[in-house]
PDB file of all heavy atoms in Angstrom:
ATOM      1  N   LYS A 159      62.353  67.002 147.234  1.00 93.00           N
ATOM      2  CA  LYS A 159      62.927  65.690 147.532  1.00 93.00           C
ATOM      3  C   LYS A 159      64.204  65.442 146.731  1.00 93.00           C
ATOM      4  O   LYS A 159      65.031  64.602 147.104  1.00 93.00           O
ATOM      5  CB  LYS A 159      61.916  64.589 147.247  1.00 93.00           C
ATOM      6  CG  LYS A 159      61.519  64.469 145.794  1.00 93.00           C
ATOM      7  CD  LYS A 159      60.521  63.341 145.587  1.00 93.00           C
ATOM      8  CE  LYS A 159      60.157  63.183 144.108  1.00 93.00           C
ATOM      9  NZ  LYS A 159      59.195  62.083 143.896  1.00 93.00           N
ATOM     10  N   ALA A 160      64.378  66.208 145.635  1.00 93.00           N
ATOM     11  CA  ALA A 160      65.559  66.027 144.791  1.00 93.00           C
ATOM     12  C   ALA A 160      66.752  66.845 145.263  1.00 93.00           C
ATOM     13  O   ALA A 160      67.900  66.484 145.013  1.00 93.00           O
ATOM     14  CB  ALA A 160      65.235  66.378 143.343  1.00 93.00           C
ATOM     15  N   GLY A 161      66.495  67.971 145.927  1.00 95.00           N
ATOM     16  CA  GLY A 161      67.597  68.831 146.347  1.00 95.00           C
ATOM     17  C   GLY A 161      67.129  70.232 146.661  1.00 95.00           C
ATOM     18  O   GLY A 161      65.959  70.452 147.002  1.00 95.00           O
ATOM     19  N   ALA A 162      68.046  71.193 146.534  1.00 95.00           N
ATOM     20  CA  ALA A 162      67.733  72.589 146.848  1.00 95.00           C
ATOM     21  C   ALA A 162      68.138  73.475 145.679  1.00 95.00           C
ATOM     22  O   ALA A 162      69.154  73.239 145.020  1.00 95.00           O
ATOM     23  CB  ALA A 162      68.455  73.034 148.116  1.00 95.00           C
ATOM     24  N   ARG A 163      67.335  74.491 145.440  1.00 96.00           N
ATOM     25  CA  ARG A 163      67.640  75.498 144.422  1.00 96.00           C
ATOM     26  C   ARG A 163      67.796  76.832 145.127  1.00 96.00           C
ATOM     27  O   ARG A 163      66.860  77.348 145.727  1.00 96.00           O
ATOM     28  CB  ARG A 163      66.541  75.571 143.371  1.00 96.00           C
ATOM     29  CG  ARG A 163      66.770  76.634 142.296  1.00 96.00           C
ATOM     30  CD  ARG A 163      65.645  76.619 141.274  1.00 96.00           C
ATOM     31  NE  ARG A 163      65.837  77.646 140.261  1.00 96.00           N
ATOM     32  CZ  ARG A 163      65.005  77.832 139.229  1.00 96.00           C
ATOM     33  NH1 ARG A 163      63.918  77.063 139.115  1.00 96.00           N
ATOM     34  NH2 ARG A 163      65.244  78.793 138.347  1.00 96.00           N
ATOM     35  N   PHE A 164      68.992  77.379 145.063  1.00 96.00           N
ATOM     36  CA  PHE A 164      69.285  78.670 145.677  1.00 96.00           C
ATOM     37  C   PHE A 164      69.278  79.744 144.584  1.00 96.00           C
ATOM     38  O   PHE A 164      70.000  79.629 143.590  1.00 96.00           O
ATOM     39  CB  PHE A 164      70.649  78.647 146.361  1.00 96.00           C
ATOM     40  CG  PHE A 164      70.776  77.599 147.431  1.00 96.00           C
ATOM     41  CD1 PHE A 164      71.381  76.374 147.160  1.00 96.00           C
ATOM     42  CD2 PHE A 164      70.277  77.813 148.705  1.00 96.00           C
ATOM     43  CE1 PHE A 164      71.496  75.402 148.138  1.00 96.00           C
ATOM     44  CE2 PHE A 164      70.388  76.846 149.692  1.00 96.00           C
ATOM     45  CZ  PHE A 164      70.997  75.640 149.408  1.00 96.00           C
ATOM     46  N   GLN A 165      68.475  80.776 144.771  1.00 94.00           N
ATOM     47  CA  GLN A 165      68.365  81.847 143.785  1.00 94.00           C
ATOM     48  C   GLN A 165      69.021  83.106 144.342  1.00 94.00           C
ATOM     49  O   GLN A 165      68.664  83.584 145.422  1.00 94.00           O
ATOM     50  CB  GLN A 165      66.904  82.109 143.440  1.00 94.00           C
ATOM     51  CG  GLN A 165      66.229  80.869 142.851  1.00 94.00           C
ATOM     52  CD  GLN A 165      64.899  81.167 142.212  1.00 94.00           C
ATOM     53  OE1 GLN A 165      63.920  81.422 142.895  1.00 94.00           O
ATOM     54  NE2 GLN A 165      64.854  81.110 140.887  1.00 94.00           N
ATOM     55  N   CYS A 166      69.986  83.641 143.598  1.00 96.00           N
ATOM     56  CA  CYS A 166      70.799  84.760 144.075  1.00 96.00           C
ATOM     57  C   CYS A 166      70.689  85.950 143.124  1.00 96.00           C
ATOM     58  O   CYS A 166      70.707  85.774 141.903  1.00 96.00           O
ATOM     59  CB  CYS A 166      72.270  84.367 144.167  1.00 96.00           C
ATOM     60  SG  CYS A 166      72.596  82.787 144.985  1.00 96.00           S
ATOM     61  N   ILE A 167      70.625  87.158 143.690  1.00 96.00           N
ATOM     62  CA  ILE A 167      70.610  88.352 142.862  1.00 96.00           C
ATOM     63  C   ILE A 167      71.371  89.472 143.552  1.00 96.00           C
ATOM     64  O   ILE A 167      71.359  89.595 144.785  1.00 96.00           O
ATOM     65  CB  ILE A 167      69.168  88.804 142.540  1.00 96.00           C
ATOM     66  CG1 ILE A 167      69.166  89.879 141.449  1.00 96.00           C
ATOM     67  CG2 ILE A 167      68.432  89.266 143.787  1.00 96.00           C
ATOM     68  CD1 ILE A 167      67.799  90.163 140.862  1.00 96.00           C
ATOM     69  N   ALA A 168      72.053  90.281 142.757  1.00 97.00           N
ATOM     70  CA  ALA A 168      72.743  91.482 143.230  1.00 97.00           C
ATOM     71  C   ALA A 168      72.522  92.576 142.193  1.00 97.00           C
ATOM     72  O   ALA A 168      72.362  92.297 141.001  1.00 97.00           O
ATOM     73  CB  ALA A 168      74.233  91.217 143.427  1.00 97.00           C
ATOM     74  N   TYR A 169      72.530  93.830 142.654  1.00 97.00           N
ATOM     75  CA  TYR A 169      72.217  94.969 141.787  1.00 97.00           C
ATOM     76  C   TYR A 169      73.424  95.868 141.564  1.00 97.00           C
ATOM     77  O   TYR A 169      74.405  95.823 142.317  1.00 97.00           O
ATOM     78  CB  TYR A 169      71.109  95.819 142.410  1.00 97.00           C
ATOM     79  CG  TYR A 169      69.774  95.138 142.528  1.00 97.00           C
ATOM     80  CD1 TYR A 169      69.294  94.716 143.768  1.00 97.00           C
ATOM     81  CD2 TYR A 169      68.980  94.925 141.409  1.00 97.00           C
ATOM     82  CE1 TYR A 169      68.060  94.100 143.885  1.00 97.00           C
ATOM     83  CE2 TYR A 169      67.743  94.324 141.514  1.00 97.00           C
ATOM     84  CZ  TYR A 169      67.279  93.912 142.756  1.00 97.00           C
ATOM     85  OH  TYR A 169      66.060  93.302 142.869  1.00 97.00           O
ATOM     86  N   ASP A 170      73.286  96.730 140.544  1.00 97.00           N
ATOM     87  CA  ASP A 170      74.291  97.777 140.353  1.00 97.00           C
ATOM     88  C   ASP A 170      74.085  98.900 141.363  1.00 97.00           C
ATOM     89  O   ASP A 170      75.034  99.505 141.845  1.00 97.00           O
ATOM     90  CB  ASP A 170      74.274  98.310 138.912  1.00 97.00           C
ATOM     91  CG  ASP A 170      72.948  98.946 138.504  1.00 97.00           C
ATOM     92  OD1 ASP A 170      71.935  98.791 139.237  1.00 97.00           O
ATOM     93  OD2 ASP A 170      72.915  99.602 137.443  1.00 97.00           O
ATOM     94  N   ARG A 171      72.831  99.172 141.693  1.00 97.00           N
ATOM     95  CA  ARG A 171      72.509 100.175 142.709  1.00 97.00           C
ATOM     96  C   ARG A 171      71.165  99.800 143.321  1.00 97.00           C
ATOM     97  O   ARG A 171      70.397  99.037 142.738  1.00 97.00           O
ATOM     98  CB  ARG A 171      72.428 101.577 142.101  1.00 97.00           C
ATOM     99  CG  ARG A 171      71.349 101.753 141.056  1.00 97.00           C
ATOM    100  CD  ARG A 171      71.301 103.160 140.475  1.00 97.00           C
ATOM    101  NE  ARG A 171      70.293 103.276 139.419  1.00 97.00           N
ATOM    102  CZ  ARG A 171      69.006 103.486 139.630  1.00 97.00           C
ATOM    103  NH1 ARG A 171      68.549 103.570 140.883  1.00 97.00           N
ATOM    104  NH2 ARG A 171      68.161 103.569 138.623  1.00 97.00           N
ATOM    105  N   TRP A 172      70.891 100.356 144.483  1.00 97.00           N
ATOM    106  CA  TRP A 172      69.636 100.057 145.177  1.00 97.00           C
ATOM    107  C   TRP A 172      68.766 101.299 145.221  1.00 97.00           C
ATOM    108  O   TRP A 172      69.154 102.325 145.750  1.00 97.00           O
ATOM    109  CB  TRP A 172      69.900  99.567 146.588  1.00 97.00           C
ATOM    110  CG  TRP A 172      68.666  99.525 147.453  1.00 97.00           C
ATOM    111  CD1 TRP A 172      68.385 100.301 148.527  1.00 97.00           C
ATOM    112  CD2 TRP A 172      67.542  98.636 147.295  1.00 97.00           C
ATOM    113  NE1 TRP A 172      67.167  99.972 149.057  1.00 97.00           N
ATOM    114  CE2 TRP A 172      66.624  98.958 148.310  1.00 97.00           C
ATOM    115  CE3 TRP A 172      67.232  97.617 146.391  1.00 97.00           C
ATOM    116  CZ2 TRP A 172      65.412  98.278 148.456  1.00 97.00           C
ATOM    117  CZ3 TRP A 172      66.023  96.952 146.522  1.00 97.00           C
ATOM    118  CH2 TRP A 172      65.131  97.277 147.546  1.00 97.00           C
ATOM    119  N   ASP A 173      67.587 101.189 144.642  1.00 96.00           N
ATOM    120  CA  ASP A 173      66.567 102.231 144.732  1.00 96.00           C
ATOM    121  C   ASP A 173      65.270 101.526 145.090  1.00 96.00           C
ATOM    122  O   ASP A 173      64.712 100.783 144.277  1.00 96.00           O
ATOM    123  CB  ASP A 173      66.421 102.959 143.397  1.00 96.00           C
ATOM    124  CG  ASP A 173      65.385 104.080 143.455  1.00 96.00           C
ATOM    125  OD1 ASP A 173      64.599 104.122 144.425  1.00 96.00           O
ATOM    126  OD2 ASP A 173      65.359 104.913 142.531  1.00 96.00           O
ATOM    127  N   PRO A 174      64.762 101.706 146.320  1.00 96.00           N
ATOM    128  CA  PRO A 174      63.567 100.966 146.739  1.00 96.00           C
ATOM    129  C   PRO A 174      62.356 101.210 145.856  1.00 96.00           C
ATOM    130  O   PRO A 174      61.473 100.355 145.744  1.00 96.00           O
ATOM    131  CB  PRO A 174      63.327 101.438 148.173  1.00 96.00           C
ATOM    132  CG  PRO A 174      64.036 102.751 148.274  1.00 96.00           C
ATOM    133  CD  PRO A 174      65.230 102.617 147.380  1.00 96.00           C
ATOM    134  N   TYR A 175      62.326 102.364 145.199  1.00 97.00           N
ATOM    135  CA  TYR A 175      61.165 102.665 144.368  1.00 97.00           C
ATOM    136  C   TYR A 175      61.140 101.863 143.071  1.00 97.00           C
ATOM    137  O   TYR A 175      60.099 101.800 142.401  1.00 97.00           O
ATOM    138  CB  TYR A 175      61.086 104.164 144.094  1.00 97.00           C
ATOM    139  CG  TYR A 175      60.682 104.942 145.331  1.00 97.00           C
ATOM    140  CD1 TYR A 175      61.633 105.604 146.099  1.00 97.00           C
ATOM    141  CD2 TYR A 175      59.357 104.966 145.761  1.00 97.00           C
ATOM    142  CE1 TYR A 175      61.276 106.292 147.250  1.00 97.00           C
ATOM    143  CE2 TYR A 175      58.985 105.639 146.912  1.00 97.00           C
ATOM    144  CZ  TYR A 175      59.946 106.306 147.651  1.00 97.00           C
ATOM    145  OH  TYR A 175      59.584 106.966 148.795  1.00 97.00           O
ATOM    146  N   ASP A 176      62.252 101.229 142.711  1.00 96.00           N
ATOM    147  CA  ASP A 176      62.240 100.333 141.556  1.00 96.00           C
ATOM    148  C   ASP A 176      61.188  99.245 141.738  1.00 96.00           C
ATOM    149  O   ASP A 176      60.498  98.853 140.792  1.00 96.00           O
ATOM    150  CB  ASP A 176      63.607  99.682 141.354  1.00 96.00           C
ATOM    151  CG  ASP A 176      64.636 100.640 140.783  1.00 96.00           C
ATOM    152  OD1 ASP A 176      64.243 101.681 140.232  1.00 96.00           O
ATOM    153  OD2 ASP A 176      65.843 100.341 140.905  1.00 96.00           O
ATOM    154  N   VAL A 177      61.068  98.762 142.962  1.00 96.00           N
ATOM    155  CA  VAL A 177      60.077  97.728 143.252  1.00 96.00           C
ATOM    156  C   VAL A 177      58.808  98.320 143.859  1.00 96.00           C
ATOM    157  O   VAL A 177      57.696  97.914 143.501  1.00 96.00           O
ATOM    158  CB  VAL A 177      60.677  96.624 144.168  1.00 96.00           C
ATOM    159  CG1 VAL A 177      61.117  97.178 145.497  1.00 96.00           C
ATOM    160  CG2 VAL A 177      59.677  95.489 144.362  1.00 96.00           C
ATOM    161  N   LEU A 178      58.924  99.302 144.729  1.00 97.00           N
ATOM    162  CA  LEU A 178      57.746  99.859 145.400  1.00 97.00           C
ATOM    163  C   LEU A 178      56.759 100.479 144.428  1.00 97.00           C
ATOM    164  O   LEU A 178      55.541 100.388 144.625  1.00 97.00           O
ATOM    165  CB  LEU A 178      58.172 100.901 146.445  1.00 97.00           C
ATOM    166  CG  LEU A 178      58.957 100.374 147.649  1.00 97.00           C
ATOM    167  CD1 LEU A 178      59.417 101.529 148.525  1.00 97.00           C
ATOM    168  CD2 LEU A 178      58.108  99.395 148.455  1.00 97.00           C
TER     169      LEU A 178
END
Side-chain angles (χ1 to χ4, degrees):
K159 64 179 182 180
R163 178 179 179 179
F164 301 98
Q165 300 193 287
C166 313
I167 191 167
Y169 295 107
D170 61 348
R171 62 180 177 83
W172 168 248
D173 181 346
Y175 288 100
D176 286 342
V177 61
L178 294 175

